[in-house]
Amino acid sequence: MLKKITSLLAVILLTLSSIPAAQSAPTLDTLFEPLVADPMEPRIAVMPWLDDDYLQLDIGSSADLYQNDDGTMAFGIDFGTWSLLQRSSNFKFPVDAIDYMFGVNFSMKQQLEESPLPFDEFSARIRLSHISAHFEDGHYDEEAGEWMHEEACPFGIPFTYSREFINILLALSAEDYRVYLGYQYLWHTIPDEINRHSLQAGVELSTPGNTYLAADFKLLPVWDNDLEKTDSFKGTWNLQAGWRLTAIGAENVRIAYNYFNGMSRHGMYFYNDESYSTLGVIVDL
């Protein structure tokens, strides 16, 4: 595990050292616009569940370290955490589970001139990333001295969850909408009997009054406890409706409603089929 993390950090440092200094000023204004409804996009968000006593707390962002003079190519980094907190009395939020992600990305953008399609821009992003997940103190019963719901986990608790992957996204966009298609391949994973492939697609629409609609769809492998491997796929949806607070000068802040249905986004629960709604605030840096 430490060797893999060290190797990925070495790739980042070697790439950074090859960037011309005059063009390497970091910027959060990334060439590839972050996906609006993808729950695994690095972001800052506070999203309480509406149908259970949980709260999602996301802290992270992507940053371009280099963009060429033409604004058609960029290299950047991604850092993110996705936390699942329990909501309890006295304003306490024990952390049940948390995922950590870091990596590098390469992106490009090209204007479409005289295109027969109803789009005026093509963009793409390739990510090389590491992600790991962990149960925390909120999943541990201190009085009993044992992990909670250990019987529900097919691997026992604690168990190691670690993935290194390449993610490729292609997008077509116009002024008020964008569609995208993606593919992800795991070149290393623990547990190891997991299908290495997953697919992604989505659409984003700007609607009147600084509102928007977005849908993110993933085809993710499903764990079969009897076979002790993934043996099928399930569609996983995240539907989002939101309002950007542009009218009050906070154009980077949006109030968003999400409906999630499918395989859990949290590594410690990757074998779980979940359905829930959230309502909260997302900040786009």
Side-chain angles (χ1 to χ4, degrees):
M1 168 84 162
L2 181 59
K3 183 182 291 185
K4 292 183 178 66
I5 293 176
T6 304
S7 298
L8 188 52
L9 286 173
V11 170
I12 296 174
L13 292 174
L14 286 172
T15 307
L16 290 177
S17 65
S18 65
I19 297 175
Q23 296 179 310
S24 59
T27 174
L28 295 175
D29 185 17
T30 56
L31 192 69
F32 187 96
E33 291 291 331
L35 302 181
V36 171
D38 185 355
M40 299 303 292
E41 193 79 22
R43 63 183 186 177
I44 295 176
V46 180
M47 304 295 292
W49 288 27
L50 298 180
D51 37 13
D52 209 339
D53 289 329
Y54 285 106
L55 180 145
Q56 293 177 353
L57 177 63
D58 302 343
I59 303 174
S61 186
S62 297
D64 281 352
L65 302 181
Y66 165 79
Q67 292 184 6
N68 68 350
D69 292 336
D70 297 332
T72 58
M73 297 183 64
F75 165 78
I77 53 175
D78 306 294
F79 290 95
T81 63
W82 299 276
S83 302
L84 181 64
L85 284 65
Q86 301 166 6
R87 289 185 288 169
S88 59
S89 58
N90 300 322
F91 208 68
K92 293 182 179 179
F93 301 93
V95 180
D96 183 90
I98 187 170
D99 294 58
Y100 300 89
M101 188 273 280
F102 66 88
V104 297
N105 68 74
F106 304 87
S107 58
M108 60 86 63
K109 182 167 63 175
Q110 183 67 48
Q111 297 300 314
L112 300 177
E113 308 238 347
E114 300 180 0
S115 171
L117 300 173
F119 304 100
D120 52 31
E121 185 178 277
F122 169 77
S123 58
R125 183 182 68 192
I126 300 176
R127 273 183 171 156
L128 301 173
S129 304
H130 163 85
I131 189 168
S132 63
H134 311 271
F135 281 128
E136 299 294 333
D137 62 305
H139 201 82
Y140 188 79
D141 187 334
E142 291 186 359
E143 293 185 2
E146 61 185 20
W147 293 98
M148 300 177 184
H149 313 301
E150 187 171 1
E151 72 286 349
C153 179
F155 309 100
I157 299 177
F159 72 93
T160 300
Y161 176 96
S162 177
R163 295 183 178 183
E164 285 78 44
F165 59 88
I166 180 170
N167 179 282
I168 302 172
L169 273 170
L170 307 175
L172 290 168
S173 58
E175 183 178 0
D176 293 325
Y177 51 88
R178 176 169 68 164
V179 297
Y180 57 87
L181 184 66
Y183 167 74
Q184 182 165 294
Y185 175 75
L186 305 176
W187 77 73
H188 177 263
T189 175
I190 303 174
D192 57 3
E193 295 299 326
I194 296 174
N195 194 298
R196 303 298 178 107
H197 310 279
S198 60
L199 298 174
Q200 181 178 12
V203 60
E204 302 168 0
L205 302 173
S206 295
T207 47
N210 297 315
T211 61
Y212 67 89
L213 300 171
D216 182 79
F217 172 82
K218 292 185 176 73
L219 196 61
L220 299 177
V222 178
W223 181 262
D224 189 311
N225 200 34
D226 293 330
L227 297 176
E228 296 185 345
K229 66 178 183 178
T230 52
D231 191 48
S232 60
F233 287 85
K234 178 179 177 59
T236 297
W237 287 94
N238 192 66
L239 308 178
Q240 186 176 117
W243 175 42
R244 301 183 188 277
L245 303 184
T246 306
I248 60 174
E251 60 274 4
N252 292 335
V253 180
R254 47 192 165 110
I255 297 173
Y257 165 83
N258 280 287
Y259 170 69
F260 181 92
N261 185 285
M263 306 310 297
S264 176
R265 72 172 189 158
H266 291 283
M268 290 289 98
Y269 294 110
F270 80 91
Y271 48 86
N272 269 6
D273 188 359
E274 299 179 340
S275 180
Y276 56 85
S277 297
T278 64
L279 177 64
V281 177
I282 300 173
V283 179
D284 301 311
L285 293 179

